Amino acid sequence: MEGKGFTEEQEALVVKSWNEMKRNSQELGLKFFKKILEIAPAAQQLFSFLKDSTVPLGENPKLKPHAMAVFVMTCESAVQLRKAGKVTVRESNLKRLGATHFKAGVTAEHFEVTKLALLETIKEAVPEMWSPAMKNAWEEAHDQLAEAIKSEMKPSD
Ligand code: HEM
């Protein structure tokens, strides 16, 4: 899919909800992560900083950066889709992302889980803005980004 027809309106739906949500990013990040682990408890083992961790999830300082990366990059991908009709993450970044996730043992199923968690988290964070159109815009931006990362998920040379 080439992301044809990602409109200004869709971009605006993603950007405006993100601008609202990011004011509470600590709680948002934790909620998002908890949802991922609710759906797929075993995913905890993928994260080096969680595997042998004895601190409660909410106190793990490394949790927020990954959560924020997913939100921020999905939001950026919405902007790119509207501007260029496709995700335009820098080649070297995409290669690194592909390699990191490949090495960590992340699968296509994990991306589905993460997407569900992402959409649920947004719905609960901005209930007054939430709509089918907003869901659709975030989903499209996520899917295109996930496809780009997955296409680089192979052993690094
Ligand atoms: C690492 C972004 C999906 C698990 C990272 C990093 C970024 C990132 C920026 C830091 C390392 C690097 O830059 O190479 C994203 C984005 C995603 C996504 C934008 C989806 C759109 C997932 C999914 C999983 C996952 C679905 C599995 C449930 C991990 C793990 C690491 C990682 C295990 C390594 C962390 C560590 O052990 O230190 N991701 N990620 N990611 N990601 Fe993701």
Side-chain angles (χ1 to χ4, degrees), residues 123-143:
K123 181 181 173 180
E124 287 172 20
V126 288
E128 72 292 350
M129 285 184 189
W130 186 251
S131 68
M134 182 173 281
K135 171 175 186 270
N136 182 275
W138 274 98
E139 185 168 18
E140 179 75 12
H142 169 277
D143 285 354

Side-chain angles (χ1 to χ4, degrees), residues 10-71:
Q10 287 180 296
E11 178 192 22
L13 287 170
V14 172
V15 172
K16 92 171 171 188
S17 49
W18 170 240
N19 282 339
E20 177 66 28
M21 283 184 279
K22 73 181 177 194
R23 300 194 296 163
N24 204 355
S25 61
Q26 184 68 39
E27 195 193 324
L28 190 79
L30 183 60
K31 260 193 156 174
F32 172 55
F33 226 98
K34 282 189 171 157
K35 282 194 196 295
I36 293 177
L37 298 183
E38 252 167 54
I39 312 173
Q44 179 150 352
Q45 299 306 314
L46 300 173
F47 292 87
S48 57
F49 54 88
L50 294 181
K51 221 183 313 189
D52 307 309
S53 166
T54 49
V55 280
L57 267 189
E59 287 161 32
N60 193 310
K62 297 207 174 146
L63 204 98
K64 193 178 160 193
H66 187 265
M68 287 308 104
V70 175
F71 275 95

Side-chain angles (χ1 to χ4, degrees), residues 36 43 46-49 66 69-70 73-74 96-97 100-101 104 106 110-111 114 142 145-146 149:
I36 293 177
L46 300 173
F47 292 87
S48 57
F49 54 88
H66 187 265
V70 175
M73 291 189 68
T74 304
R96 194 196 62 229
L97 277 170
T100 307
H101 291 91
V106 177
H110 290 125
F111 279 91
T114 299
H142 169 277
L145 175 61
I149 297 174

